[in-house]
Amino acid sequence: MEIKITDGKVSRVAGRLDTERTPLAHRARVIANYLPLEAQRLGADIVHNEDAHYTGIRFNTKAGAVVLEIPPAGGSYRLVLEFDEPDEKTGKTGKVLQQIPQLYSPNGIALQTYEFLRSRGFLK
């Protein structure tokens, strides 16, 4: 399932005509197709967050929402634990758990993401 967040409103993207057609969205779909079944059962959703300016794959884990942010050219993939509310002291909305360099194939990124979530106890 794909979700789009615009101006604080969350909406479900339905059908092929409404889907994002950007290179980042395509890369997120390819990585999501390589995720192991256990990670897909977590409810892995592709998220297009226009408010926070990222496209990624969101996993609903027992510790909260973890997002694999797809980088624009030159950056690295980031696994971010999203907070329900911004931190009162710093105002941050998430914590970076791991960074994965872009030199890996989509299959490698999917497997590294799954192994990180599995080995750290995020999976239910």
Side-chain angles (χ1 to χ4, degrees), residues 31-51:
I31 293 170
N33 285 335
Y34 283 116
L35 287 171
L37 185 60
E38 187 178 0
Q40 291 179 6
R41 285 184 179 162
L42 281 175
D45 299 324
I46 297 174
V47 178
H48 309 287
N49 193 336
E50 293 179 356
D51 295 344

Side-chain angles (χ1 to χ4, degrees), residues 3 24 31 41 54-55 68 74 78 82 96 109 111:
I3 298 171
L24 294 178
I31 293 170
R41 285 184 179 162
Y54 74 81
T55 295
L68 174 67
R78 298 183 332 153
E82 288 189 335
V96 177
I109 293 165
L111 291 176

Side-chain angles (χ1 to χ4, degrees), residues 7 15-16 45 51 55 58 60 72 80 87-88 91-92 94 101 103 109 121 124:
D7 298 328
R16 269 187 102 148
D45 299 324
D51 295 344
T55 295
R58 183 174 191 233
N60 298 316
V80 178
D87 188 13
E88 293 177 4
K92 293 183 179 181
L103 56 98
I109 293 165
K124 296 177 184 178

Side-chain angles (χ1 to χ4, degrees), residues 35-121:
L35 287 171
L37 185 60
E38 187 178 0
Q40 291 179 6
R41 285 184 179 162
L42 281 175
D45 299 324
I46 297 174
V47 178
H48 309 287
N49 193 336
E50 293 179 356
D51 295 344
H53 305 293
Y54 74 81
T55 295
I57 302 170
R58 183 174 191 233
F59 303 92
N60 298 316
T61 66
K62 60 184 176 183
V66 175
V67 177
L68 174 67
E69 293 182 358
I70 310 297
S76 60
Y77 293 86
R78 298 183 332 153
L79 269 174
V80 178
L81 177 65
E82 288 189 335
F83 303 141
D84 292 334
E85 297 291 328
D87 188 13
E88 293 177 4
K89 295 179 183 176
T90 61
K92 293 183 179 181
T93 59
K95 177 182 177 184
V96 177
L97 301 173
Q98 182 184 28
Q99 293 191 0
I100 304 169
Q102 280 196 18
L103 56 98
Y104 294 103
S105 67
N107 189 10
I109 293 165
L111 291 176
Q112 280 192 12
T113 300
Y114 168 73
E115 274 302 310
F116 181 85
L117 294 175
R118 186 192 61 75
S119 66
R120 302 309 193 278

